[in-house]
Amino acid sequence: MKPNVLLITTDQQHANTIHSGGNSIIQTPNLDKLYANGVLFRRAYTANPVCSPSRATILTGEYPSRHGCWNIGVNLDPGRQFLSDLLRSQGYRTALFGKSHFRPVGTKGEFESPPNIFDRNFWKSWHGPYYGFEHVQLVHGHADEDSAYGMHYGAWLWDQGVDPRKYFGPDGGHREGVWNIPEDLHYTRWTADQTISFLHSDDTKPFFVWCSFQDPHNAFLCPEPWGTQYDPNDMSFNRRQNEMYDKTRLHRHLWDGTMHELGLNFLADPDHETAGVQCLGLTSQNVPYNRERQWLASYYGMISLVDFHLGRIMQTLADTGKLDNTIVIFSTDHGDYAGNHGLWLKGPIHYEDVIKVPFIVSWPGHTPKAQESQSLMSHVDLAPTLLEACGFHIPASMQGISQLHTWLNPQTLQRDWCLVENRAESDLYVKTLVTPQFKLNYYLQWDEGELYDLGKDPLEFNNLYNNPDYTHVKISLLQKLISVSSEIEGPWAPRNSFA
C-alpha cells in the first residue's frame, strides 16, 4: 500500500521554537508529540531564506538557480516538473491548503495579486488545478494587511456574513500583540479546517496534502488567548556588542543605517528603511527594546496557535484511521532572525537563524520514535526523498538526493554539505556552504565572506574568514563550493560519438 504524505509548513519559523527541541519558554505540545513519534533533525536547511524560492525548491527538488524562481516577485514556471505532478500521475490525490506564493503577490493583475485575489465569485468557483495540485484552497498575506483577506479565505469570510474590512485593511500589517479577530475566523484555523475536511474524505486513493500556514511571519499579531500567552519580560536574545564590525560591509552598513552607500541596484523601494535590499529586515537600532520583546512574545503566540491546529489535524488522521499509513513532515520555508544578532525578519545575512529550519519526520512503523539527529538535511531533498518513500523513480532533473535511508536511520549521514543560494539583488548574491563543522558565507561579486566554526561557536559571533589560522579551512570550503556547483549541474545529454 502506498503511503499518504502530509506536508505541514509554517512561514518564517525559527528552528529553536519547539519546546521539546530545547526551548523552555515556548509551549508546543503537539509538535512535541510529533517529535515523540518521529525524528527531529536539528540541522535542516532551506535552499533560500525567502518565501517563493524556498517553496519552489520544495516542490521541484531544484535549487533557485535551476528552477528560476530566485526571489519573491518572480513567477515559478508552471511548465516545470513538480512533486505534486509526479505523485498525481501515479494515482495520488493532491491538494494544497493555505499559502502558495508561487507567483508574485505585489504585481497588479498577477494571479496571486490584487485585484484578482478579491474577485469572490472567481474564488468560490475555482479550486485548481494549480502547480500539480488537483484541489487548492488558497490564502496569503500576513496578519491584518489587506491582502490577507483575499482568495478562497476572503470569499469564505464573506460567506460567513463577515466584512473582512473590520479586521483587515490597507494600513494593516504594522501592529503587534493582540488582534481582535475572533479565533474561529482566523486564517490559521481556516487553513487547518480545509485540511481536516480533505482528510475526512473516504476516497481510498493515497494522497499528498500540503498544509501551508502563513504564520508566524511578521507582522507579529495574534488573537486571544494566544495573543497574551507569553510575557514579553521572559523574552531574550543572543547578541554581542559590536559584533557586526568583523563581518562584511553589508552587515556594517545595515547596522550603521548607511545602506545607500553600498551602491546596489535595488529592486525594491529605495526609500524603504533598509534602502531597498530585497527581503532584508530591520535591526534593533530601529526597534525599541520593549517592542522587540513584545514582537518575540507575539511570535511565540502565533507558533502556539499553529501548534494547536496541528494537533487537530493529527487527531483527524488518527480518527480516520489514516495515521499509520501517513508520512508527516513538519517544517517551514525559512527562519527569522527573531532579534538575535540585533536583527529581525530575514535577509541575505545568513545566520543560522534564517537558514536553519525546524524539521520533523514521523512515519509510524518506519521512522524511529523520539530521536534527534544531527545529520544534514536540505529542502532540496524533500521531493526526491518522498518519491523514493512512495516507491517511484526520481527524475534526473532533481538536484536533491533521497534522504530516505537517513529518515529511517537518523544517525547515518548521506550529506556532508548543504547549499543555500540567495540572489537578493542583481549585484548581491550570497552562497552558503554548510558542513558538519563549518559554515562559509561567500558574497560572490564582492569577494567578501564569513567563516564560522559551528562546533565551537554555534551562535556565530566570531567571523574567521580573515583569520590567518583558518586560511586553509577557508580555501578548502571555497574549493568545495566550486565542486558543489559542478556536482549539481546536469543532467547531461548522452554523448553518442567522438564528434
Side-chain angles (χ1 to χ4, degrees), residues 98-279:
K99 179 175 178 177
S100 56
H101 207 170
F102 301 140
R103 306 182 71 83
V105 299
T107 303
K108 187 175 181 179
E110 270 284 347
F111 183 73
E112 294 191 31
S113 303
N116 303 42
I117 60 173
F118 299 119
D119 184 347
R120 299 200 300 274
N121 290 330
F122 170 78
W123 295 102
K124 288 169 70 171
S125 62
W126 180 85
H127 299 284
Y130 196 55
Y131 285 93
F133 294 100
E134 295 172 291
H135 183 79
V136 298
Q137 295 268 45
L138 303 179
V139 58
H140 69 68
H142 303 285
D144 59 346
E145 60 189 20
D146 57 356
S147 64
Y149 74 87
M151 307 174 97
H152 292 104
Y153 169 65
W156 174 84
L157 282 174
W158 285 104
D159 280 351
Q160 308 313 301
V162 176
D163 184 344
R165 293 168 295 188
K166 181 179 180 181
Y167 304 110
F168 304 83
D171 297 322
H174 299 287
R175 298 187 293 118
E176 65 277 334
V178 178
W179 187 8
N180 66 339
I181 189 171
E183 193 275 336
D184 61 352
L185 297 178
H186 192 267
Y187 48 65
T188 292
R189 174 176 284 274
W190 177 87
T191 297
D193 284 350
Q194 308 315 304
T195 306
I196 288 169
S197 178
F198 181 92
L199 294 177
H200 274 295
S201 166
D202 58 5
D203 194 314
T204 59
K205 291 195 299 183
F207 60 75
F208 168 46
V209 174
W210 188 348
C211 173
S212 178
F213 295 109
Q214 70 242 58
D215 278 355
H217 190 290
N218 58 291
F220 306 120
L221 196 60
C222 195
E224 292 287 36
W226 294 273
T228 54
Q229 181 173 354
Y230 297 97
D231 185 346
N233 294 316
D234 292 336
M235 303 297 119
S236 61
F237 311 103
N238 297 317
R239 295 175 178 171
R240 190 183 73 176
Q241 190 173 8
N242 298 322
E243 68 173 274
M244 295 298 177
Y245 293 100
D246 70 343
K247 309 295 171 65
T248 73
R249 45 188 155 133
L250 179 61
H251 294 72
R252 296 192 296 271
H253 283 285
L254 176 65
W255 192 254
D256 291 339
T258 56
M259 293 289 289
H260 59 281
E261 295 180 4
L262 285 173
L264 293 170
N265 295 314
F266 297 126
L267 295 180
D269 181 0
D271 296 322
H272 188 268
E273 290 174 270
T274 56
V277 170
Q278 189 72 47
C279 291

Side-chain angles (χ1 to χ4, degrees), residues 326-482:
T326 299
I327 304 170
V328 180
I329 306 103
F330 174 83
S331 192
T332 191
D333 54 358
H334 54 79
D336 190 303
Y337 298 120
N340 296 320
H341 304 282
L343 301 177
W344 282 95
L345 314 182
K346 56 180 178 276
I349 293 177
H350 285 181
Y351 286 117
E352 295 283 274
D353 304 279
V354 294
I355 66 171
K356 193 161 71 170
V357 293
F359 198 91
I360 301 175
V361 179
S362 177
W363 186 7
H366 296 82
T367 55
K369 293 183 177 182
Q371 281 208 21
E372 180 179 304
S373 173
Q374 296 292 329
S375 298
L376 294 175
M377 287 281 143
S378 172
H379 276 164
V380 77
D381 300 331
L382 252 177
T385 304
L386 287 172
L387 285 171
E388 183 181 5
C390 295
F392 303 128
H393 173 71
I394 301 170
S397 62
M398 288 190 173
Q399 296 171 294
I401 62 171
S402 172
Q403 295 256 31
L404 182 60
H405 180 72
T406 301
W407 284 13
L408 305 183
N409 305 276
Q411 306 315 315
T412 61
L413 186 70
Q414 290 181 265
R415 275 195 174 279
D416 63 1
W417 56 268
C418 285
L419 176 68
V420 182
E421 302 178 337
N422 192 347
R423 187 180 286 277
E425 303 287 348
S426 60
D427 47 0
L428 176 55
Y429 192 7
V430 187
K431 286 198 176 187
T432 291
L433 187 71
V434 182
T435 70
Q437 181 175 355
F438 292 100
K439 183 170 83 172
L440 173 76
N441 301 325
Y442 185 63
Y443 293 69
L444 271 70
Q445 290 98 327
W446 295 6
D447 193 23
E448 292 187 56
E450 301 159 78
L451 172 64
Y452 299 104
D453 185 336
L454 296 176
K456 297 179 180 178
D457 178 28
L459 297 181
E460 302 171 281
F461 286 144
N462 301 304
N463 181 16
L464 305 171
Y465 190 81
N466 294 314
N467 185 325
D469 292 339
Y470 285 82
T471 299
H472 66 292
V473 176
K474 177 173 71 173
I475 292 174
S476 175
L477 289 174
L478 286 169
Q479 291 173 330
K480 180 68 173 178
L481 185 60
I482 295 171

